[in-house]
């Protein structure tokens, strides 16, 4: 992709009316210099979403999202940075300049555009064949028997691949595409004796799209039992990576944002049947297992995911694996156990099936509770060996859980069922809990980082609250701010705070004007700080107070570290220092604007 020049990006930002762009998604009311409204990213009844038209930034004090107008379009329309800039440039009539690029990159881009067109044409070809051809009559009957209406099938672009060996091959070539291109998107394949033929024949075709609605590939369902695999998908291509696909996400993304949760089901028809029944936050994972990439995609959209997978053992295993792939993400995973032998699509054809399914989803169990229940149900409590094994498994599961009433409940349940003393079960859980040095530093696990979801205000550590308040004041009062930014060291700050402070030192004039678009977390925090700086009172006393609080927390961490090293002399000295500091804080007047 040719890089859009930074000057062009700047012009787009200047030209775009952030209030107008955001107003398309939520009603904004003027309040002094800024606008407020209900947050378009999370469900709320009282407005905590702010737009700052001068700074051209937005921020939600409820869920923590924030950024500039480009970021908003990226998030809301599921676009990448360049796509969002293009869309705004189009809308506000800005001509984009691109930086010189390598001709091979340009060629790749053009090829990709052609293949996108090809996939789109193929989807239209199959859809047309489903509704117009005589041959597809039995497919139409099958879909109607499953209770799926024409309207929703057309919405999802469902189609039919004819039984002949080369209908698509011929149609594609006639439309000007080469055999090589047809093969490149996985629509035709080469036979053993050479020559190409259609990959999908005599199958109901489900186009699989990305968040923006672009066709990436297809899933094809066999019409006859003797037809080989029941489902055939597009082979892995440059476009199509099965492990990343969330079927129906293009149609579900709005409902997911609105409901604050996603419902994950297994099959194409499950997704379509649920949408038809009004449960539009449903997406499909194509098979029983949910992958880390799918979890990453969901965790960028929503914090709660309900797995409504089959109750059979494959489904159960998939749900257990989900726990591992979601580990380290701020995401609540729940399990709606489907009644044995029933899938969501079947349930939707019954009278009140939608209500029943809705009830299962609303009452879904936390994944940990589900796991514990599963381990218990597989254990023969009469066998001491089995009881010990189950206890070890349960302890490992519960060790990953925070201390809470629901954990205590589970511990009691385990003790009762396995006939152990609850205190003993608790002891095993604690023993299995990994030591967390500095809990508040707990960073997301390494590996695929996925999109970062900002944390809600209530989830901030006290250090993060003091730090944000102080940094916002540094923006409001830049002269004093320079001094405090100089006094703050990395040891005072959270990892994001370190980056934010560095950003403020580098951009003292106008910190919100040129946000980093490759660091969403930092961009979100800077927007929040800029908006906070205009909202909350700032004073030098307030800055001093916040700084002293951060200093106190820094000393506490050093005291703990000295203790762990066994350096008791140092620990005593630091403790005296801390006591003096606490005195100072107590004597200083509590200024307005502190946390
Ligand atoms: Zn929000």
């Amino acid at each position: 992709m040719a890089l859009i020049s930074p000057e062009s990006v700047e012009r787009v930002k200047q030209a775009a009316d952030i209030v107008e762009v955001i107003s398309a998604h939520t009603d904004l009311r003027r309040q002094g210099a800024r606008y407020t409204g209900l947050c378009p990213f999370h469900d709320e009844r009282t407005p905590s979403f702010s737009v700052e038209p001068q700074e051209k930034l937005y921020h939600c004090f409820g869920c923590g999202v924030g950024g500039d107008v480009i970021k908003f379009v990226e998030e809301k329309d599921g676009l990448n940075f360049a796509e969002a800039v293009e869309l705004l440039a189009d809308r506000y009539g800005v001509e984009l300049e691109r930086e010189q690029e390598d001709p091979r990159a340009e060629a790749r881009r053009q090829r990709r555009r052609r293949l996108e067109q090809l996939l789109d044409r193929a989807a239209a070809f199959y859809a047309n064949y489903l509704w117009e051809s005589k041959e597809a009559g039995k497919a139409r009957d099958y879909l109607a028997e499953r209770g799926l209406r024409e309207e929703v099938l057309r919405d999802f672009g469902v189609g039919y691949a004819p039984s002949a060996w080369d209908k698509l091959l011929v149609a594609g070539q006639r439309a000007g595409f080469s055999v090589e291109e047809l093969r490149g998107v996985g629509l035709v394949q080469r036979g053993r004796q050479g020559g190409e033929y259609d990959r999908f024949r005599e199958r109901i075709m489900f186009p699989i799209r990305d968040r923006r609605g672009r066709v990436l590939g297809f899933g094809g369902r066999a019409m006859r039992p003797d037809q080989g695999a029941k489902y055939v998908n597009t082979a892995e291509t440059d476009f199509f990576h099965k492990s990343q696909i969330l079927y129906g996400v293009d149609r579900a993304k709005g409902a997911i944002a609105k409901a604050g949760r996603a419902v994950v089901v297994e099959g194409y028809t499950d997704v379509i049947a649920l949408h038809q029944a009004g449960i539009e936050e449903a997406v499909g994972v194509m098979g029983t297992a949910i992958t880390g990439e799918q979890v990453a995609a969901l965790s960028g959209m929503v914090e709660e995911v309900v797995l409504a997978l089959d109750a059979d053992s494959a489904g159960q295993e998939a749900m257990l694996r989900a726990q591992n792939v979601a580990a380290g993400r701020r995401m609540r995973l729940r399990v709606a156990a489907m009644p044995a032998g029933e899938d969501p699509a079947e349930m939707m054809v019954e009278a009140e099936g939608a209500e029943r399914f809705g009830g299962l989803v609303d009452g879904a169990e936390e994944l940990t509770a589900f796991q514990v229940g599963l381990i218990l149900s597989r254990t023969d409590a009469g066998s001491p060996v089995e009881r010990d094994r189950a206890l070890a498994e349960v302890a490992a599961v519960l060790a990953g859980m925070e201390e809470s009433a629901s954990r205590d409940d589970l511990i009691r349940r385990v003790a009762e069922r396995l006939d152990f003393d609850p205190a003993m079960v608790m002891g095993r859980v604690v023993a299995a809990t990994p030591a967390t040095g500095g809990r508040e530093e707990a960073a997301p696990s390494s590996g695929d980082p996925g999109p970062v979801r900002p944390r809600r205000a209530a989830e901030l550590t006290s250090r993060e609250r003091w730090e944000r308040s102080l940094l916002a004041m540094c923006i409001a009062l830049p002269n004093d701010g320079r001094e405090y930014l100089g006094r703050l060291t990395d040891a005072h700050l959270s990892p994001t705070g370190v980056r934010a402070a560095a950003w403020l030192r580098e951009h003292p004039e106008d910190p919100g004007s040129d946000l980093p678009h490759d660091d969403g977390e930092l961009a979100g925090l800077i927007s929040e700080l800029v908006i906070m700086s205009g909202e909350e009172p700032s004073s030098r006393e307030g800055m001093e107070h916040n700084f002293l609080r951060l200093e106190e927390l820094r000393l506490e961490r050093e005291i703990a570290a000295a203790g762990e090293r066994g350096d008791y002399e140092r620990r005593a000295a630091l403790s005296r220092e801390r006591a003096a500091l606490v005195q100072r804080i107590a004597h200083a007047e509590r200024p307005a604007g502190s946390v």
Side-chain angles (χ1 to χ4, degrees):
M1 192 70 172
L3 284 178
I4 299 166
S5 72
E7 296 74 29
S8 288
V9 172
E10 200 41 49
R11 279 208 310 283
V12 167
K13 265 197 245 176
Q14 289 310 319
D17 181 343
I18 189 170
V19 174
E20 183 181 274
V21 170
I22 295 179
S23 292
H25 298 273
T26 183
D27 287 333
L28 293 174
R29 290 220 173 140
R30 197 175 186 102
Q31 213 175 56
R34 63 196 174 92
Y35 289 78
T36 59
L38 294 176
C39 176
F41 294 98
H42 85 279
D43 203 18
E44 61 174 7
R45 297 220 177 81
T46 50
S48 42
F49 186 81
S50 247
V51 181
E52 182 40 84
Q54 268 84 50
E55 304 283 353
K56 291 178 172 271
L57 296 175
Y58 69 95
H59 176 70
C60 173
F61 289 92
C63 68
V65 298
D68 58 21
V69 65
I70 298 172
K71 182 81 188 304
F72 185 88
V73 173
E74 285 181 65
E75 297 263 312
K76 211 59 214 169
D77 296 341
L79 304 181
N80 66 31
F81 178 76
E83 292 165 341
V85 172
E86 282 165 5
L87 186 142
L88 288 168
D90 233 31
R91 175 156 172 200
Y92 289 97
V94 176
E95 187 101 18
L96 291 179
E97 284 160 15
R98 287 175 193 277
E99 293 188 328
Q100 272 304 343
E101 77 171 333
D102 148 22
R104 278 174 312 188
E106 174 60 23
R108 274 199 301 276
R109 192 148 57 102
Q110 282 191 3
R111 172 173 163 86
R112 185 163 179 109
R113 211 175 291 140
R114 264 188 71 79
L115 298 187
E116 278 172 14
Q117 284 167 5
L118 170 53
L119 284 163
D120 213 53
R121 299 277 288 264
F125 170 86
Y126 291 134
N128 189 53
Y129 210 84
L130 173 65
W131 300 111
E132 306 302 333
S133 78
K134 190 158 170 282
E135 185 195 339
K138 56 186 193 309
R140 293 192 294 270
D141 292 346
Y142 166 83
L143 291 163
E145 273 162 34
R146 297 225 77 187
L148 301 173
R149 291 193 292 271
E150 180 170 342
E151 191 192 350
V152 73
L153 291 167
R154 283 190 187 271
D155 281 347
F156 276 84
V158 176
Y160 185 78
S163 57
W165 286 83
D166 61 355
K167 273 255 163 57
L168 188 91
L169 180 63
V170 169
Q173 286 177 296
R174 213 171 273 155
F177 293 96
S178 69
V179 175
E180 189 275 325
E181 285 172 321
L182 284 154
R183 229 180 24 226
V185 293
L187 287 169
V188 305
Q189 53 198 32
R190 180 166 280 161
R192 282 201 194 100
Q193 284 98 41
E196 267 82 11
Y197 61 94
D198 290 359
R199 176 175 175 85
F200 299 98
R201 297 178 314 281
E202 207 179 347
R203 285 176 185 272
I204 296 176
M205 298 294 286
F206 299 92
I208 296 162
R209 300 169 194 272
D210 66 7
R211 275 175 75 165
R212 292 177 67 190
R214 288 179 297 207
V215 179
L216 303 173
F218 296 88
R221 186 194 188 282
M223 285 306 297
R224 287 181 286 110
D226 58 344
Q227 212 183 328
K230 186 170 168 197
Y231 281 97
V232 168
N233 294 317
T234 298
E236 293 282 311
T237 64
D238 294 345
F239 281 78
F240 190 78
H241 303 288
K242 190 176 166 205
S243 59
Q244 297 171 356
I245 302 286
L246 289 168
Y247 178 68
V249 68
D250 55 314
R251 309 196 63 79
K253 62 179 195 252
I256 286 175
K258 205 149 167 253
R261 74 174 179 208
V263 175
V264 172
V265 294
E266 242 167 70
Y268 307 112
T269 49
D270 293 329
V271 173
I272 299 174
L274 288 170
H275 279 245
Q276 178 175 281
I279 302 167
E280 292 178 345
E281 67 264 35
V283 291
V285 289
M286 324 200 11
T288 47
I290 184 166
T291 66
E293 287 148 308
Q294 288 162 336
V295 167
L298 285 168
S299 77
M301 302 167 70
V302 81
E303 286 168 5
E304 185 186 327
V305 172
V306 180
L307 303 171
L309 305 176
D310 277 5
D312 61 18
S313 57
Q316 290 178 347
E317 288 306 323
M319 291 192 259
L320 297 188
R321 268 197 309 276
Q323 178 80 330
N324 300 332
V325 293
R329 289 182 191 283
R330 195 164 294 275
M331 190 188 227
R332 189 172 169 218
L333 276 175
R334 296 193 297 139
V335 173
M338 292 293 105
E342 240 184 325
D343 64 34
E346 286 161 356
M347 222 184 260
M348 290 308 113
V349 247
E350 295 163 23
E352 281 160 49
E355 287 76 7
R356 206 150 61 84
F357 183 84
L360 288 173
V361 167
D362 290 338
E365 205 176 12
E366 296 291 335
L367 184 57
T368 21
F370 173 81
Q371 273 181 289
V372 168
L374 201 59
I375 294 168
L376 292 181
S377 73
R378 289 171 177 177
T379 304
D380 170 11
S383 144
V385 178
E386 286 257 297
R387 285 168 64 217
D388 282 340
R389 181 194 49 79
L391 180 59
E393 282 181 26
V394 165
V397 171
L398 293 179
M401 225 175 146
E402 305 231 326
E403 288 180 49
S404 59
S406 42
R407 193 180 80 168
D408 293 346
D409 273 351
L410 287 172
I411 287 175
R412 271 194 297 278
R413 205 168 121 198
V414 170
E416 218 163 274
R417 175 73 170 58
L418 299 179
D419 197 20
F420 286 122
D421 180 43
M424 191 272 230
V425 178
M426 174 66 99
R428 291 291 292 271
V429 171
V430 171
T433 307
T436 51
R439 182 84 148 275
E440 63 173 342
E441 306 275 354
S445 67
S446 57
D448 165 28
V452 183
R453 191 81 200 163
R455 281 182 292 162
R456 292 165 195 261
E459 292 168 349
L460 297 177
T461 61
S462 47
R463 176 167 65 176
E464 286 167 328
R465 286 199 297 271
W466 298 118
E467 144 194 307
R468 279 164 203 224
S469 178
L470 175 54
L471 292 176
M473 290 186 192
C474 288
I475 296 172
L477 304 171
N479 275 333
D480 294 315
R482 238 188 316 277
E483 179 193 328
Y484 280 94
L485 286 168
R487 285 168 70 185
L488 281 171
T489 65
D490 292 359
H492 287 112
L493 300 167
S494 72
T496 336
V498 169
R499 272 145 59 216
W503 180 267
L504 296 183
R505 288 181 198 116
E506 284 161 30
H507 302 83
E509 299 295 321
D510 203 357
S513 74
D514 189 20
L515 294 177
H517 56 76
D518 50 356
D519 186 345
E521 195 181 14
L522 180 60
L525 180 54
I526 300 293
S527 317
E528 174 179 353
L529 295 173
V530 171
I531 289 176
M532 263 173 89
S533 73
E535 277 183 351
E536 295 180 5
S538 299
S539 64
R540 195 176 160 88
E541 293 72 35
M543 292 169 100
E544 180 66 16
H545 181 83
N546 289 331
F547 179 80
L548 292 179
R549 285 296 192 172
L550 288 170
E551 177 70 3
E552 184 190 349
L553 292 173
R554 181 187 69 80
L555 283 172
E556 279 172 6
R557 281 191 302 276
E558 276 201 39
I559 290 167
E564 270 167 34
R565 286 197 309 271
D567 186 348
Y568 300 108
E569 212 169 306
R570 172 94 180 124
R571 188 172 70 174
L574 286 166
S575 299
R576 282 192 297 278
E577 207 180 314
R578 177 177 175 273
L581 180 68
V582 170
Q583 289 278 320
R584 261 173 79 196
I585 295 173
H587 284 134
E589 204 184 22
R590 280 230 153 187
S594 64
V595 184

